[in-house]
Amino acid sequence: MRRANVSAAAALVFKRDLTLALRRWDEVTQPLIFYVVVTTLFPLATTPDLAQLRTISGGVVWVAALLSSLLALESLFRSDVEDGTMEQWVLSGQPLAWLLLSKVAAHWILTGLPLVLISPVVGTALGLPFDAWGTLVLSLLLGTATLSVLGGIGAALTVGVRRGSVLLSLLVLPLAMPLLIFGARAVSMQMDGDSPAGPLQLLAAIFFLALSLGPLAMSAAIRISVES
Amino acid sequence: MGPDAAVLEARAINVWRGERHILRDVSFEVHPGVFMKLTGPNGVGKTTLIRVVCGLLPAESGEILWRGKAVRSASEQFHTELAYLGHPNALKADLTARENLRFLAGLRQSLEDSDIDRALDRVGILSRGDLVARSLSAGQKRRLALARLLLADARLWILDEPATNLDVAGVTLVEDLIAEQVAGGGLVLAAAHQRLLDESPITERLELS
């Protein structure tokens, strides 16, 4: 036997979460169903007139994506902390930040990416024009990935708290506001015929900031959470 | 012994939980070839001490030293030489016994299938290797956690009630594993309230009160 390197360890965490998700399929699909249901309810509650819906379609899709991502985040670290796996990760001698980032990446693939992929369909049902698809998908790609990292920090902080979901929303929602504003704005600028490059670049900047600092914050928060 | 000798040392550890002063100036040394058995009644702070030594819980004062260096400043090196078995077994109910080992012990060592089979065989659950952990009995789960210990290839073992849920044969297995680890120049620190290697010459006792 020889010591496993960091990338092998991170890959194991990633693979493990995908394996687990395949065996608990119902839990993983829940946010996606929520997303589709919420966006479908909108035309029923407001107006079936596509011309009117079109003006709010980008915003509705973005709000729904934000909320369903939050819904999926609450239990991100819970079972690993409760069954003692997290302690073993902390003591594994591998950098905890990398293991957690790998876990968050798996989580995004399972919950964030499906939202992004289905969003053109959902958007079209709300009258989103075809030429805004690209902007919507790109903004949601950056937005949901950033949200997974931000939510990971929140989930790591609230993992020891009973009924932590309210606290998690309070922590993460303010941080997520810029994403919502820039994301929805990019889509509406595209629909108005303007270039959405500005808000998209801001989203990308926030994403890389979260990606570089988020894992360190997560690992610090997890170390506090396993103390109890 | 030189300054780099594999010695675990605790110096004047103090831990408070709220108003309660749980650990009061606890000091001890564990040398290679020694099984340090931590005893004392329930609630006396055995688990707390174990978590402090591992670095999972910070102590209010005092220091843990490994190879003469404070582990707080060199925790990564300490953790690569440390295998910890806590109260929870750290198993995923939806993964098979083999997968559990591959995904957790594999974080430390690059494992071949034969390594995993050998460890499962040693703890007596090789025939259960492809069952999901949820269908194992409590004792079998503990044995699986012990298999992870074997795969960690660590110099220092820190165990919290290693024989929980085990039958008589299982307790003997734990004793054998500890004796083997110690005979190979390893160190073992374990909290245990039941009999565990009580008459053995390798055993030293630390009684918390």
Side-chain angles (χ1 to χ4, degrees), chain B residues 78-157:
Chain B
F78 175 57
H79 289 156
T80 58
E81 294 195 79
L82 161 73
Y84 166 69
L85 173 65
H87 255 284
N89 289 320
L91 300 176
K92 286 283 158 210
D94 291 315
L95 296 178
T96 66
R98 275 202 179 80
E99 286 169 334
N100 265 299
L101 290 178
R102 185 169 306 126
F103 286 132
L104 196 48
L107 296 185
R108 308 176 58 107
Q109 307 289 338
S110 308
L111 299 174
E112 303 293 328
D113 288 345
S114 57
D115 298 324
I116 292 177
D117 282 357
R118 210 173 320 120
L120 285 172
D121 191 31
R122 183 70 187 85
V123 299
I125 51 169
L126 183 57
S127 61
R128 302 280 184 274
D130 290 322
L131 290 182
V132 287
R134 114 169 33 257
S135 65
L136 298 178
S137 76
Q140 286 168 337
K141 284 180 187 155
R142 200 60 176 167
R143 283 169 185 257
L144 185 51
L146 288 169
R148 192 180 61 239
L149 209 55
L150 295 175
L151 289 172
D153 195 25
R155 188 82 186 265
L156 170 64
W157 284 7

Side-chain angles (χ1 to χ4, degrees), chain A residues 68-151:
Chain A
S68 50
S69 297
L70 266 185
L71 189 72
L73 277 167
E74 198 225 331
S75 56
L76 180 57
F77 295 122
R78 177 147 305 148
S79 74
D80 282 326
V81 168
E82 279 174 357
D83 66 19
T85 304
M86 196 57 84
E87 292 177 351
Q88 296 292 339
W89 287 8
V90 171
L91 299 178
S92 66
Q94 304 286 5
L96 184 61
W98 281 106
L99 302 184
L100 297 178
L101 181 62
S102 180
K103 184 172 170 67
V104 167
H107 180 263
W108 179 76
I109 297 272
L110 289 163
T111 61
L113 192 57
L115 292 189
V116 176
L117 294 180
I118 206 173
S119 60
V121 181
V122 166
T124 306
L126 293 168
L128 188 85
F130 176 72
D131 58 358
W133 278 25
T135 308
L136 179 70
V137 167
L138 192 56
S139 68
L140 279 175
L141 263 180
L142 291 166
T144 53
T146 311
L147 203 61
S148 286
V149 179
L150 293 177

Side-chain angles (χ1 to χ4, degrees), chain B residues 3-19:
Chain B
D4 281 352
V7 175
L8 177 71
E9 190 184 349
R11 280 190 195 154
I13 301 293
N14 280 285
V15 175
W16 291 77
R17 267 280 159 86
E19 290 293 297

Side-chain angles (χ1 to χ4, degrees), chain A residues 142-199:
Chain A
L142 291 166
T144 53
T146 311
L147 203 61
S148 286
V149 179
L150 293 177
I153 302 171
L157 282 169
T158 56
V159 73
V161 184
R162 289 206 316 136
R163 296 198 202 85
S165 55
V166 179
L167 192 57
L168 177 69
S169 312
L170 281 175
L171 278 173
V172 177
L173 274 177
L175 295 172
M177 284 308 110
L179 303 176
L180 181 68
I181 292 165
F182 295 134
R185 182 81 188 118
V187 179
S188 71
M189 282 173 86
Q190 174 74 45
M191 285 197 292
D192 294 345
D194 299 331
S195 161

